[in-house]
Amino acid sequence: MDRLVGTISRGIRAPIIRQGDNLVHIVVDSVLAAAEREGFSLRDRDVIAVTEAVVARAQGNYAHIDQIAKDVHRKFGDETVGVIFPILSRNRFAICLKGIAKGCKKVVLMLSYPSDEVGNHLVSEDQLDQTEVNPWSDVLTEKQYRDYFGYQRHTFTGVDYVEYYKELVTQCGAEVEIIFANQPKAILEYTKNVINCDIHTRTRTKRVLLQGGAQKVYSLDDILTESIDGSGYNDQYGLLGSNKSTEETVKLFPIHCEEVVRDIQSAILEKTGKCVEVMVYGDGAFKDPVGKIWELADPVVSPAYTQGLEGTPNEVKLKYLADNNFAHLSGEELKKAIQEYILEKDRKADDLTGNMVSQGTTPRRLTDLIGSLADLTSGSGDKGTPIVLIQGYFDNYTK
C-alpha cells in the first residue's frame, strides 16, 4: 500500500535546560521517549534539529554589559563612537547597546530608515513618500526626523525606538546624538571610529567605511570574540546572534556546535541503528508579508549540521512534468511515468541546476529550508519544544 503522508515535523518536548546540563543526552533521551510514547519509529535520514538557544544555555555562553563595555573601551578608548545600522529590537540589540554605551563617552547612533535591515519600520514607506526626503542620500538629524514624522510607535511592540535607544544610551552615562542615514559613509562626518551593527551586509559596510577614511571599524562580530573577565564569547560571530537574557546580560550564539551535532548523531546510531541528520538552528529565513519583518536576525540559520544536510535540493517539479513531458497521460499511467522519471534522475544523480524541469523548486540551501521549518514548528514562545524531529523530508513521489 502506498504511504499517503510525506514530510512530518514534530516539536519534541524537553526538560528546561540549564547551564552545565548534558545536552546530547537530553536531546537523545527526549526524542526516543517521544517516539515510544507517541508510537513512531526513527528512520535513516530523519532530521533532529536543536534550537541554538538551548545549546548556548547548556554551554553557559552569557555575557554581562560590563564585559561588553570593557571590550568596546579596549578597542576605542575615549573616542566618540558611531554605532550604525542596528536592528530595532529589545530582544536582539537593546542590551548590546547598553554594553556599548557603557564603554563610550559619546555615541553617535545612526539608524537606517524607513526600516532596519530585517524590516522593522521606523516609519512606513507611505509616510516617507509624503515628504521630499530621499532616503538614499539625505541625512536627517533627530529634530528633522521628528519634524517630518513625529513620534512613531512600532506596529507590534508599541515602542518608539528612537526615544527608547536614546534613553538606553543616556542611562548608561554616555552622551548621545542620533542621525538617520542609509549610506555608511555618512557617519564619517561625525566620527572616524565606528561599530557597524548590520548583520548580513556587515562585510560590505566595513569595507565602504575603511575605504572612505574611517580609522577604526569593528562589526558586532568583532566584539566578544574572546572571553572578557570570564564572560562567554563567540570566536566567529561575537555579539551577532545574541539575545536578551536579563536586563544586564545577553545569551550569545553558541560555540563548538559541530561537536554537539556529531555526538547526537553518534548516540542515535548507537541506540537505534539509524543514521539521522542533526542540525542546530536559530532564526528561520522567511519574511512576514504583513509585518514586513524578515525573520533572520541571526548571522546564519544553522551554525552547525551533519554532512548529509550539505547542499541544495535537487528536485523536479511535478506539475511541469504533468503539463509538459507527460501531458498525454493521466491516472495510473501518469503516476508511473513521473515516478520512473524521478527514479532515473536519482539513479543518474543528475544535477538539475538550470534545467527547466526544476523551475519553481526552491533554490535555497537545505539547512536554510529545514531550519526555517524547525523554527516555525518550535515557535519562540511557550511551546516547550526546543527539539524538532523532521521525518520524510528527503522522500519523494517514488517512496
Side-chain angles (χ1 to χ4, degrees), residues 127-154:
Q127 289 173 306
L128 185 62
D129 289 343
Q130 294 170 14
T131 72
E132 297 179 352
V133 175
N134 182 342
W136 301 111
S137 60
D138 292 349
V139 179
L140 304 180
T141 65
E142 183 181 357
K143 182 180 185 307
Q144 288 172 320
Y145 170 84
R146 293 300 190 193
D147 288 343
Y148 280 119
F149 306 113
Y151 286 78
Q152 300 291 327
R153 296 189 178 276
H154 189 276

Tab-separated table of all heavy atoms in Angstrom, residues 127-154:
chain	number	residue	atom	x	y	z
A	127	GLN	N	4.424	56.952	4.465
A	127	GLN	CA	4.733	58.204	5.150
A	127	GLN	C	5.955	58.877	4.526
A	127	GLN	O	5.989	60.100	4.383
A	127	GLN	CB	4.992	57.930	6.640
A	127	GLN	CG	3.757	57.557	7.435
A	127	GLN	CD	4.107	57.131	8.840
A	127	GLN	OE1	4.933	56.242	9.056
A	127	GLN	NE2	3.481	57.771	9.822
A	128	LEU	N	6.934	58.086	4.191
A	128	LEU	CA	8.138	58.638	3.567
A	128	LEU	C	7.803	59.270	2.224
A	128	LEU	O	8.320	60.341	1.866
A	128	LEU	CB	9.183	57.537	3.402
A	128	LEU	CG	10.547	57.954	2.865
A	128	LEU	CD1	11.228	58.937	3.805
A	128	LEU	CD2	11.432	56.721	2.660
A	129	ASP	N	6.922	58.630	1.460
A	129	ASP	CA	6.546	59.140	0.140
A	129	ASP	C	5.843	60.501	0.221
A	129	ASP	O	5.824	61.246	-0.763
A	129	ASP	CB	5.610	58.152	-0.563
A	129	ASP	CG	6.338	56.891	-1.006
A	129	ASP	OD1	7.585	56.913	-1.071
A	129	ASP	OD2	5.658	55.868	-1.264
A	130	GLN	N	5.275	60.814	1.366
A	130	GLN	CA	4.568	62.079	1.525
A	130	GLN	C	5.503	63.247	1.830
A	130	GLN	O	5.062	64.384	1.959
A	130	GLN	CB	3.520	61.946	2.644
A	130	GLN	CG	2.391	60.974	2.297
A	130	GLN	CD	1.497	60.665	3.487
A	130	GLN	OE1	1.547	61.355	4.500
A	130	GLN	NE2	0.681	59.620	3.358
A	131	THR	N	6.781	62.967	1.930
A	131	THR	CA	7.785	64.013	2.151
A	131	THR	C	8.664	64.131	0.916
A	131	THR	O	8.541	63.363	-0.034
A	131	THR	CB	8.671	63.678	3.363
A	131	THR	OG1	9.548	62.588	3.015
A	131	THR	CG2	7.833	63.293	4.572
A	132	GLU	N	9.568	65.090	0.948
A	132	GLU	CA	10.543	65.236	-0.127
A	132	GLU	C	11.882	64.595	0.232
A	132	GLU	O	12.887	64.806	-0.441
A	132	GLU	CB	10.750	66.725	-0.443
A	132	GLU	CG	9.491	67.417	-0.962
A	132	GLU	CD	9.712	68.885	-1.248
A	132	GLU	OE1	10.797	69.406	-0.906
A	132	GLU	OE2	8.801	69.522	-1.817
A	133	VAL	N	11.879	63.791	1.275
A	133	VAL	CA	13.116	63.168	1.746
A	133	VAL	C	13.535	62.051	0.790
A	133	VAL	O	12.715	61.218	0.388
A	133	VAL	CB	12.923	62.605	3.157
A	133	VAL	CG1	14.166	61.838	3.608
A	133	VAL	CG2	12.605	63.718	4.141
A	134	ASN	N	14.821	62.038	0.447
A	134	ASN	CA	15.388	60.963	-0.367
A	134	ASN	C	16.204	60.067	0.566
A	134	ASN	O	17.296	60.434	0.996
A	134	ASN	CB	16.290	61.527	-1.458
A	134	ASN	CG	16.857	60.429	-2.356
A	134	ASN	OD1	16.871	59.262	-2.001
A	134	ASN	ND2	17.327	60.826	-3.533
A	135	PRO	N	15.710	58.867	0.881
A	135	PRO	CA	16.400	58.031	1.872
A	135	PRO	C	17.768	57.541	1.413
A	135	PRO	O	18.579	57.120	2.227
A	135	PRO	CB	15.432	56.861	2.088
A	135	PRO	CG	14.634	56.801	0.822
A	135	PRO	CD	14.494	58.215	0.371
A	136	TRP	N	18.024	57.594	0.114
A	136	TRP	CA	19.314	57.119	-0.396
A	136	TRP	C	20.417	58.159	-0.255
A	136	TRP	O	21.601	57.818	-0.288
A	136	TRP	CB	19.174	56.692	-1.850
A	136	TRP	CG	18.167	55.618	-2.027
A	136	TRP	CD1	16.950	55.688	-2.640
A	136	TRP	CD2	18.261	54.284	-1.511
A	136	TRP	NE1	16.280	54.500	-2.551
A	136	TRP	CE2	17.067	53.610	-1.870
A	136	TRP	CE3	19.231	53.588	-0.790
A	136	TRP	CZ2	16.826	52.287	-1.527
A	136	TRP	CZ3	18.986	52.266	-0.444
A	136	TRP	CH2	17.803	51.626	-0.820
A	137	SER	N	20.029	59.409	-0.069
A	137	SER	CA	21.059	60.451	0.008
A	137	SER	C	20.932	61.365	1.216
A	137	SER	O	21.938	61.913	1.684
A	137	SER	CB	21.018	61.316	-1.266
A	137	SER	OG	19.742	61.940	-1.406
A	138	ASP	N	19.736	61.546	1.746
A	138	ASP	CA	19.523	62.538	2.798
A	138	ASP	C	19.900	62.003	4.177
A	138	ASP	O	19.519	60.887	4.557
A	138	ASP	CB	18.064	62.985	2.819
A	138	ASP	CG	17.692	63.790	1.582
A	138	ASP	OD1	18.614	64.164	0.833
A	138	ASP	OD2	16.489	64.029	1.376
A	139	VAL	N	20.638	62.812	4.913
A	139	VAL	CA	20.982	62.534	6.303
A	139	VAL	C	20.132	63.444	7.180
A	139	VAL	O	20.175	64.665	7.035
A	139	VAL	CB	22.483	62.778	6.578
A	139	VAL	CG1	22.805	62.490	8.046
A	139	VAL	CG2	23.345	61.918	5.650
A	140	LEU	N	19.349	62.851	8.072
A	140	LEU	CA	18.442	63.620	8.917
A	140	LEU	C	18.972	63.686	10.348
A	140	LEU	O	19.472	62.692	10.882
A	140	LEU	CB	17.051	62.976	8.946
A	140	LEU	CG	16.348	62.754	7.604
A	140	LEU	CD1	14.974	62.107	7.851
A	140	LEU	CD2	16.203	64.037	6.834
A	141	THR	N	18.842	64.845	10.961
A	141	THR	CA	19.082	64.959	12.389
A	141	THR	C	17.844	64.446	13.122
A	141	THR	O	16.780	64.218	12.517
A	141	THR	CB	19.339	66.416	12.786
A	141	THR	OG1	18.143	67.171	12.548
A	141	THR	CG2	20.506	67.013	12.004
A	142	GLU	N	17.968	64.305	14.442
A	142	GLU	CA	16.813	63.866	15.216
A	142	GLU	C	15.672	64.876	15.104
A	142	GLU	O	14.496	64.486	14.967
A	142	GLU	CB	17.198	63.668	16.680
A	142	GLU	CG	16.063	63.131	17.531
A	142	GLU	CD	16.440	62.955	18.984
A	142	GLU	OE1	17.611	63.195	19.335
A	142	GLU	OE2	15.547	62.589	19.780
A	143	LYS	N	16.000	66.171	15.115
A	143	LYS	CA	14.957	67.194	15.001
A	143	LYS	C	14.263	67.110	13.643
A	143	LYS	O	13.029	67.207	13.555
A	143	LYS	CB	15.540	68.588	15.210
A	143	LYS	CG	14.486	69.707	15.149
A	143	LYS	CD	15.092	71.066	15.356
A	143	LYS	CE	14.003	72.153	15.402
A	143	LYS	NZ	13.095	72.123	14.239
A	144	GLN	N	15.047	66.957	12.586
A	144	GLN	CA	14.447	66.856	11.250
A	144	GLN	C	13.543	65.630	11.158
A	144	GLN	O	12.454	65.684	10.570
A	144	GLN	CB	15.551	66.789	10.190
A	144	GLN	CG	16.275	68.102	9.982
A	144	GLN	CD	17.481	67.947	9.068
A	144	GLN	OE1	18.218	66.957	9.144
A	144	GLN	NE2	17.677	68.923	8.190
A	145	TYR	N	14.005	64.525	11.720
A	145	TYR	CA	13.193	63.314	11.715
A	145	TYR	C	11.861	63.562	12.432
A	145	TYR	O	10.792	63.185	11.926
A	145	TYR	CB	13.960	62.172	12.393
A	145	TYR	CG	13.120	60.943	12.666
A	145	TYR	CD1	12.914	59.984	11.686
A	145	TYR	CD2	12.524	60.746	13.918
A	145	TYR	CE1	12.137	58.863	11.937
A	145	TYR	CE2	11.746	59.626	14.182
A	145	TYR	CZ	11.560	58.696	13.185
A	145	TYR	OH	10.783	57.592	13.433
A	146	ARG	N	11.899	64.217	13.588
A	146	ARG	CA	10.672	64.483	14.338
A	146	ARG	C	9.779	65.466	13.586
A	146	ARG	O	8.555	65.312	13.576
A	146	ARG	CB	11.013	65.051	15.719
A	146	ARG	CG	11.722	64.083	16.652
A	146	ARG	CD	10.911	62.845	16.928
A	146	ARG	NE	11.503	62.039	18.004
A	146	ARG	CZ	11.148	60.795	18.283
A	146	ARG	NH1	10.200	60.194	17.561
A	146	ARG	NH2	11.734	60.133	19.268
A	147	ASP	N	10.386	66.450	12.944
A	147	ASP	CA	9.586	67.404	12.175
A	147	ASP	C	8.843	66.713	11.036
A	147	ASP	O	7.685	67.044	10.730
A	147	ASP	CB	10.479	68.513	11.617
A	147	ASP	CG	10.971	69.469	12.695
A	147	ASP	OD1	10.375	69.472	13.788
A	147	ASP	OD2	11.948	70.193	12.434
A	148	TYR	N	9.500	65.783	10.401
A	148	TYR	CA	8.867	65.067	9.288
A	148	TYR	C	7.850	64.023	9.767
A	148	TYR	O	6.754	63.899	9.217
A	148	TYR	CB	9.929	64.348	8.446
A	148	TYR	CG	10.657	65.224	7.464
A	148	TYR	CD1	12.038	65.390	7.562
A	148	TYR	CD2	9.982	65.869	6.429
A	148	TYR	CE1	12.724	66.183	6.658
A	148	TYR	CE2	10.659	66.660	5.503
A	148	TYR	CZ	12.029	66.823	5.624
A	148	TYR	OH	12.705	67.609	4.726
A	149	PHE	N	8.217	63.256	10.796
A	149	PHE	CA	7.450	62.038	11.106
A	149	PHE	C	6.863	61.997	12.510
A	149	PHE	O	6.060	61.100	12.806
A	149	PHE	CB	8.345	60.809	10.903
A	149	PHE	CG	8.970	60.741	9.545
A	149	PHE	CD1	10.353	60.876	9.395
A	149	PHE	CD2	8.197	60.564	8.407
A	149	PHE	CE1	10.943	60.816	8.149
A	149	PHE	CE2	8.778	60.499	7.144
A	149	PHE	CZ	10.158	60.634	7.016
A	150	GLY	N	7.247	62.934	13.367
A	150	GLY	CA	6.716	62.925	14.718
A	150	GLY	C	7.202	61.729	15.522
A	150	GLY	O	8.305	61.227	15.321
A	151	TYR	N	6.361	61.261	16.428
A	151	TYR	CA	6.703	60.124	17.284
A	151	TYR	C	5.967	58.893	16.773
A	151	TYR	O	4.743	58.819	16.845
A	151	TYR	CB	6.344	60.426	18.739
A	151	TYR	CG	7.298	61.409	19.384
A	151	TYR	CD1	7.203	62.772	19.115
A	151	TYR	CD2	8.316	60.969	20.217
A	151	TYR	CE1	8.094	63.676	19.680
A	151	TYR	CE2	9.212	61.862	20.793
A	151	TYR	CZ	9.099	63.214	20.516
A	151	TYR	OH	9.988	64.113	21.068
A	152	GLN	N	6.727	57.933	16.255
A	152	GLN	CA	6.157	56.737	15.652
A	152	GLN	C	6.391	55.533	16.548
A	152	GLN	O	7.521	55.301	17.011
A	152	GLN	CB	6.796	56.480	14.282
A	152	GLN	CG	6.595	57.599	13.276
A	152	GLN	CD	5.144	57.699	12.826
A	152	GLN	OE1	4.445	56.682	12.737
A	152	GLN	NE2	4.693	58.908	12.538
A	153	ARG	N	5.340	54.779	16.803
A	153	ARG	CA	5.472	53.572	17.609
A	153	ARG	C	5.419	52.337	16.704
A	153	ARG	O	4.645	52.291	15.752
A	153	ARG	CB	4.367	53.505	18.664
A	153	ARG	CG	4.462	54.652	19.679
A	153	ARG	CD	3.498	54.452	20.839
A	153	ARG	NE	3.634	55.532	21.812
A	153	ARG	CZ	4.555	55.547	22.765
A	153	ARG	NH1	5.400	54.536	22.889
A	153	ARG	NH2	4.638	56.559	23.603
A	154	HIS	N	6.251	51.372	17.020
A	154	HIS	CA	6.311	50.146	16.233
A	154	HIS	C	4.952	49.442	16.236
A	154	HIS	O	4.264	49.387	17.270
A	154	HIS	CB	7.376	49.209	16.804
A	154	HIS	CG	7.668	48.020	15.951
A	154	HIS	ND1	6.909	46.873	15.991
A	154	HIS	CD2	8.646	47.804	15.027
A	154	HIS	CE1	7.409	45.987	15.143
A	154	HIS	NE2	8.455	46.528	14.545
